[in-house]
Each structure stands twice: as C-alpha cells, then as structure tokens.
Amino acid sequence: MPVISFANPKGGAGKTTTALLLATELAARGADVSVIDADPERWISQWGALPGKPDNIDILSDVSEDSIVDQIEEASEQSQFIIVDLEGTASLMVANAIGMSELVLIPTQGSSMDARGGAKTIRLIRNQERMARRPIPHSVVLTRTSAAVTSRSLRNVQSQLAKAGIDVFETAIVERAAFRDLFDYGGPLERLDPSLVRNVDKARKNAESFAGEVIAKLKSAQMAEAV
Ligand SMILES: Nc1ncnc2c1ncn2[C@@H]1O[C@H](COP(=O)(O)OP(=O)(O)OP(=O)(O)O)[C@@H](O)[C@H]1O
Ligand SMILES: [Mg+2]
C-alpha cells in the first residue's frame, strides 16, 4: 500500500505537522494508517501518547537507518497508507525512505532557505529515481501560508515552481493555531474544542482538501483505492 514520505532537510519546514494532518484525515475517512516516526524529536509518537488517538492510526517510533527499509516494507503489507515523517537532514535514512516511497511530499515555507532545502530534496529524489530506475512522484506543499494571502500570489509561487518543472499542491497548509494545538491536546482536529482553539472548522477544511489532493495524486499514479 502506498508509502508517503515527508522530506525537507530544512528544519521546521512543516514536515511533522503536515504528516500528522494527513494521518488523521485518512484515518477519519476510515483508512488504516501506519506512521513511521523517523523525526528524532518523536513529536507524532508523543502526540500518540495523548488521549484521542484514533485506533486506526498505528505509530512506529523505534526507527533507525538500518531498520527503516524493513519497517516500511512490513507496514505496507499491513496498512492502507504508510506515512513517513523524516528528520530535517539529508541522511541515508531519508534517501532510503525516499527510495521506498510512492509519493514524496516536500513541505516548504515561502522563505528562500526552505526553498533551497526543497531543491536539495528534489535532487535527492532524482538520484533515487535513477538508482531505482523508476519515477518517484513528488510535490512541493506550501506550508504556514498566511490566511490573508491572496490566491493570486500563491498561484504566482506555484507557477514559478511549475516553470522549474516542480509539481506544487494546489492546497497550501495555512498557518493555524489548531495545527499547533493538536500536539498539545492530542487526537484529531475534530476533537479540538472550538471555544479554546480558533478556526477549527477552517483548519479542518484545509486538512480535508490537502488529504483529498494526496488521494487524487495517488489515484492518478494508480496507487490508492477509494477512501
Ligand atoms: N500550518 C501551521 N500552522 C501553525 N504552526 C505550524 C504550521 N506548520 C508548522 N507549524 C509549527 O512550526 C514548527 C515547525 O513545524 P514542524 O515541526 O511541523 O516542522 P518539521 O519540518 O517537522 O521540523 P523538523 O525538521 O525539526 O522535524 C512547529 O512549532 C509547528 O507547530
Ligand atoms: Mg519534524
């Protein structure tokens, strides 16, 4: 079943946040999801220890460079989706996970440092494609965008990346307190208390459309059944 990795050597690009949003949205649609937590800070494992983790999300925390290939292979025999949250470096572990992926998502903030990290990831993916002699679908996901940003300026960034031959998700992940607070409260977005956290409904819509785009991308590569 499809393996979706989140990679960008730039720390804080939004890999962990975006990976958790995808895991919880897929689980909300009824899918069995395995998360391979290869972020040294183990944020998703800590989230999983809080109340409210859906039963259909399984988190593997004990991951190393030596074990990651076996763990991804094993998980992909058991779960409908495997999500790999990678560390913020360009390591052999990251290269191995990319080599095992059906889709690599590259969360990128608008800053040039993030974009450079994204470019490094794309070079890594292209090398892995040559080694594996198969295409590895990959897309940039813009993260922490301002809710107030006009869709025109977003489209501008998207078309610039497209000109460089890089696919960019139409859905950007907006900067929202709800996406941060998930890690404090645990559980999925729908469990957050709207009287404590602002704009939970908007956060949910954002996460839903992101997950929808991931599914569409996998379907176009014939890697996912309907969820
Ligand atoms: N869309 C968002 N809205 C609000 N806060 C966000 C959003 N995305 C990320 N953040 C915050 O930015 C910080 C970095 O995000 P995150 O941990 O997801 O990045 P990362 O790429 O996984 O970092 P690392 O490379 O250290 O693993 C965190 O404090 C997180 O809560
Ligand atoms: Mg992380």
Side-chain angles (χ1 to χ4, degrees):
M1 291 299 171
V3 178
I4 307 145
S5 291
F6 287 80
N8 188 335
K10 171 73 174 49
K15 297 176 287 294
T16 298
T17 305
T18 317
L20 182 62
L21 291 180
L22 181 62
T24 50
E25 280 306 318
L26 291 173
R29 292 169 190 226
D32 285 325
V33 181
S34 283
V35 178
I36 302 207
D37 185 0
D39 181 330
E41 298 295 330
R42 302 282 186 265
W43 291 118
I44 295 184
S45 304
Q46 292 180 46
W47 168 87
L50 295 167
K53 180 185 79 66
D55 290 339
N56 51 349
I57 298 183
D58 188 34
I59 302 171
L60 288 94
S61 310
D62 202 8
V63 187
S64 68
E65 189 177 286
D66 291 333
S67 67
I68 195 163
V69 171
D70 287 339
Q71 283 168 311
I72 291 176
E73 208 167 62
E74 215 169 285
S76 69
E77 279 159 19
Q78 285 161 14
S79 295
Q80 275 169 286
F81 294 92
I82 296 81
I83 294 175
V84 189
D85 180 24
L86 290 164
E87 58 190 338
T89 50
S91 62
L92 183 58
M93 178 144 81
V94 172
N96 283 345
I98 287 173
M100 298 286 290
S101 295
E102 269 69 41
L103 176 64
V104 181
L105 295 179
I106 309 158
T108 304
Q109 291 183 44
S111 77
S112 69
M113 265 161 75
D114 264 53
R116 261 181 275 161
K120 205 169 172 182
T121 309
I122 287 165
R123 281 197 298 277
L124 196 59
I125 295 169
R126 291 191 174 147
N127 277 340
Q128 289 300 111
E129 286 180 319
R130 286 166 64 198
M131 286 162 67
R133 296 174 195 272
R134 68 165 181 111
I136 301 174
H138 54 277
S139 304
V140 164
V141 181
L142 296 171
T143 59
R144 306 192 73 172
T145 58
S146 155
V149 91
T150 61
S151 54
R152 197 200 298 159
S153 64
L154 259 188
R155 273 201 297 274
N156 234 338
V157 179
Q158 287 162 337
S159 77
Q160 278 177 16
L161 286 163
K163 262 189 219 146
I166 297 161
D167 185 68
V168 188
F169 264 38
E170 248 171 67
T171 311
I173 308 294
V174 173
E175 172 86 23
R176 294 253 176 238
F179 296 151
R180 250 194 332 265
D181 289 350
L182 267 187
F183 289 89
D184 292 329
Y185 292 107
L189 285 169
E190 63 265 29
R191 268 185 99 250
L192 290 180
D193 181 346
S195 67
L196 296 175
V197 184
R198 290 177 59 202
N199 290 321
V200 176
D201 50 338
K202 288 184 181 154
R204 266 221 81 180
K205 283 216 178 80
N206 192 185
E208 270 169 22
S209 74
F210 167 61
E213 217 174 321
V214 172
I215 292 165
K217 189 79 49 189
L218 291 168
K219 271 189 190 149
S220 74
Q222 298 186 330
M223 277 310 303
E225 292 157 25
V227 267

